[in-house]
Amino acid sequence: ITVTMLANYSYKMLGASAARGVNFGKFYNLQQTLDRICQSKMVFLAEIHANPPVVALQKVIQEHLIADPKVHLNLFLEHFSFEQQHLLDGYQAGDLTLEQVIEKYKEIGTEGHDLEKYRDCLEHAKEHKDKIRLIGGFIPRTYAKIVMRESEEAAV
């Protein structure tokens, strides 16, 4: 599902598929789309990084998913590599403030996303740490670059 946002954050969903199948170009109602997402065991959400309407929609989805008392959300973040998991764990445990996470993230310097744009989502996840676990979901960029330029073997 590709997200189309209007200027006032009125959400409309534009169904799409790489193969331009039957749902291509079909508009969805937000509530129906959220309900459909909640029926899934796994949800992939692609985004335009740090785009405020898209990030706001991510939080809406996050809130909707954990409204079900049976749901525990493992939220894999492309913005963090698995080597940075300690930052997310420390943040959710209350050992690090978001400002400290952002500072340490910048010191490490390998991923380079503007985490401030995700403040609402991250704070929501911390407030609901019993329902949401933040997970650094990607390999470090240093290794990814080696794989892309050379080979998997060179990165290992």
Side-chain angles (χ1 to χ4, degrees):
I1 295 172
T2 302
V3 181
T4 301
M5 309 297 292
L6 301 178
N8 64 358
Y9 290 20
S10 173
Y11 300 109
K12 289 195 177 186
M13 303 294 166
L14 178 61
S17 71
R20 297 190 185 251
V22 295
N23 287 328
F24 184 79
K26 181 178 176 186
F27 284 89
Y28 292 95
N29 170 281
L30 177 62
Q31 188 60 49
Q32 290 172 345
T33 301
L34 291 171
D35 292 344
R36 184 173 162 209
I37 286 170
C38 286
Q39 293 172 9
S40 303
K41 290 187 178 192
M42 185 176 292
V43 178
F44 292 93
L45 183 63
E47 67 159 324
I48 300 168
H49 291 300
N51 181 293
V54 175
V55 175
L57 179 62
Q58 288 174 330
K59 185 175 177 220
V60 168
I61 292 170
Q62 197 172 296
E63 291 168 337
H64 197 78
L65 284 168
I66 68 163
D68 182 339
K70 297 176 284 188
V71 169
H72 179 85
L73 180 60
N74 290 305
L75 186 58
F76 288 82
L77 301 169
E78 173 185 9
H79 312 78
F80 290 85
S81 72
F82 59 80
E83 288 183 339
Q84 297 169 318
Q85 184 62 45
H86 66 283
L87 297 176
L88 295 169
D89 291 344
Y91 174 64
Q92 283 200 290
D95 299 331
L96 296 171
T97 65
L98 186 55
E99 287 71 23
Q100 290 170 317
V101 170
I102 291 170
E103 181 182 328
K104 291 177 183 299
Y105 182 86
K106 287 179 181 176
E107 286 172 9
I108 295 168
T110 56
E111 302 307 313
H113 294 279
D114 183 0
L115 298 182
E116 186 60 43
K117 304 283 186 181
Y118 300 90
R119 176 177 289 276
D120 288 347
C121 288
L122 294 169
E123 287 178 346
H124 179 262
K126 183 177 181 180
E127 290 169 19
H128 299 278
K129 63 184 176 189
D130 57 321
K131 301 273 297 172
I132 301 172
R133 175 151 188 251
L134 297 173
I135 301 171
F138 276 62
I139 66 170
R141 280 189 191 216
T142 49
Y143 295 117
K145 286 179 184 177
I146 294 169
V147 169
M148 293 304 296
R149 290 185 185 147
E150 299 175 41
S151 67
E152 289 180 35
E153 294 77 25
V156 185

